[in-house]
Amino acid sequence: MPFINAKTNISLSRKQRENAKADLGQAISLIPGKSEQWLMVNFEGSCPLYFSGDTLEPCAMVEIQLLREQDPQALEQMTAKTTEIISRDFSIKPERIYISYTICTAWGYNGSNL
């Protein structure tokens, strides 16, 4: 039940969103038990994000929410791959991308909690 929410201060085209969605769909399998089948992704472009005091240079904040604790090595791999994807697909320098993880203890789906 992963959810990825990516915000950036640049405008995103449909093609950029589709490419990143497909790439993140493959990347999520780096985390044991996760797959694109259950992945939900959201992209928010043209956000008023400020990084190092300015909003002119492209930057991104990526939030990855996961059900229950995960293997730290898998999260390291996911961070590296997510940085690569956002940098490539959105033309954002890796040093201007933050990634955060939220581990949820319960996740509601289809009227009940998992």
Side-chain angles (χ1 to χ4, degrees), residues 8-19:
T8 181
N9 61 345
I10 63 170
S11 176
L12 297 174
S13 70
R14 180 181 179 103
K15 182 176 180 167
Q16 284 175 304
R17 292 190 312 267
E18 290 293 321
N19 287 344

Side-chain angles (χ1 to χ4, degrees), residues 29-84:
S29 66
L30 292 168
I31 300 172
K34 306 301 178 196
S35 71
E36 184 177 22
Q37 178 182 357
W38 297 103
L39 176 62
M40 184 180 285
V41 181
N42 179 56
F43 297 109
E44 298 177 44
S46 302
C47 292
L49 293 176
Y50 292 83
F51 188 77
S52 295
D54 83 80
T55 189
L56 298 176
E57 192 171 345
C59 64
M61 176 65 205
V62 182
E63 302 163 304
I64 302 175
Q65 297 179 21
L66 301 161
L67 179 61
R68 300 191 181 88
E69 288 296 322
Q70 303 296 320
D71 174 36
Q73 276 190 311
L75 297 182
E76 283 286 338
Q77 292 175 336
M78 187 65 186
T79 295
K81 192 63 173 176
T82 300
T83 300
E84 176 188 316

